[in-house]
Amino acid sequence: MSKQMSFKNQVIGYILLILMIVSFLYFGVYQVATGQVEMDTQTAFLTMLILLIIGEVISIATKAFVPSMFISAVLFVIGFWTYFPQDILQLGGVASNLPTFLVMMMVVHLGTMLNIKELLDQWKTVIVTLAGMLGILVVILVVGSFLIGSETAAIAAPPLTGGFVAAMMMQSIAPTEELAILAMTVYVLQGFVGYPLTSLCLKKEGKFILKAYREGKLTSIKTDAKVEQIDEKHTALFPQIPEKFKSDFTHLFLMVVLAVMAGYLDNLSMGYVSKFVWALLLGVFGSAFGFIDRNVLVRSRSMGFVYTLIMMFVFSQLKSVTPETLVQLLKSFSVLIVLATLGVAVFSIPVGKILGLSVPMSFAIGLGTLAGGFPASYTLSVEAAKVLSSNEEEYKLLEEHMLPKTLVAGFVSATSGSVLIAGIVMAIFFK
């Protein structure tokens, strides 16, 4: 009797699930696409969430051979080409200025995951990242100028080093509308090459690390517990909130305080040091000196929602990519992305090998520019660790090996580095 009841419940459940899917396809897709109704808030949010989930499912099914960000990006582009409203993010209830603030909070959180020693230990990553950025500049400004013209090369080079701000800076001084579109299009589309290449490199690196670990050649695994033990030896500079008074609100409050301070420091440094770099540093030093707890966004139970909104924002920027734009700029973009990839490989791999890094890891670090920094650096590393590992211990090993490197590479390229490069290029080519 219980088996019959269970079977009936499953049948009813599947019927209800089918009804929900049909309802969404009719009210949320068909009627919106045919102009019968306007997309409402809940439908807009659900639509974006579905595309993110599809990307994740395909990525897991292909063991990260096809990155989730790549799939979701393609789906968003198709959506904007068909029936998505241009302001789907705002329709979904996400204010246009909110994601930037959430990214700052995420960066503060990521800073709390790194202790000062770990940050200093990443000096090799910084050098390899800078080498990759230099490779992009040299190859594009020299070879690219010869193939597609010096103005086009100069406009495209800074965005290809990974920064959205850099893309906006170059867009603002572009001498023609076509070049203005190119500046943002190159930034938006570079991930279509950067994501899968970075994923492949991280998977290859992860397999090498796991093989060494499973063969007993690599035995040490740094755990969170060890990090906490090290940190407890330090005397906190700030008065501590009693554990019983800590809550989601207090964790969020401390994150917001550091995000606000990062904005003030950005103003004081006149933008030469990005607010995202300040947010990272404040997260690192804030956790080291006892102002804020480690892994704070998880502790506040806000990680999933914040990350979802950030990803929706990233993909909503693809609204500017139209079929006409792609046709018009396909030739220039193809030349630029090939040159940028070659520049990263030719400069970052040899430098990485000199510093003792493997070829896949060196290339992955250099490709942090083409992957656009955070959140791709976070997603691709975690994704590769998840699909390659067979247990939690292996997952921790891969995450702690790859994630600090890719995060630092992303911060170096997509924040201050790319902005500085954009400023130099503007001064030299567009006085």
Side-chain angles (χ1 to χ4, degrees), residues 9-19:
N9 288 342
Q10 287 186 352
V11 171
I12 293 173
Y14 277 112
I15 292 174
L16 292 174
L17 182 60
I18 291 172
L19 287 174

Side-chain angles (χ1 to χ4, degrees), residues 374-390:
F374 179 85
S377 54
Y378 178 86
T379 301
L380 295 173
S381 298
V382 170
E383 192 174 62
K386 185 186 298 183
V387 299
L388 291 174
S389 57
S390 57

Side-chain angles (χ1 to χ4, degrees), residues 26-27 29-39:
Y26 178 72
F27 293 106
V29 178
Y30 174 74
Q31 287 197 336
V32 172
T34 56
Q36 298 180 41
V37 298
E38 293 185 359
M39 187 177 285

Side-chain angles (χ1 to χ4, degrees), residues 114 118-133 202 205 280 347-349 351-358 361-369 377 381 400-413:
L114 293 171
E118 287 173 329
L119 192 62
L120 295 175
D121 285 344
Q122 295 304 319
W123 65 271
K124 293 182 180 180
T125 298
V126 174
I127 293 176
V128 174
T129 303
L130 293 175
M133 297 173 72
L202 291 175
E205 175 72 5
L280 174 68
F347 278 67
S348 64
I349 291 176
V351 172
K353 290 182 68 176
I354 292 172
L355 296 176
L357 299 174
S358 67
M361 195 71 248
S362 300
F363 197 22
I365 291 171
L367 287 169
T369 57
S377 54
S381 298
E400 291 174 357
H401 173 72
M402 297 187 293
L403 187 57
K405 296 180 179 65
T406 56
L407 285 178
V408 171
F411 289 130
V412 170
S413 61

Side-chain angles (χ1 to χ4, degrees), residues 2 62 64 79 110 124 136 144 153 169 206 208 252 262 332 365 402 410-411 422:
S2 60
T62 60
L110 294 173
K124 293 182 180 180
I136 290 175
M169 291 170 65
F208 174 78
L252 289 171
S332 296
I365 291 171
M402 297 187 293
F411 289 130

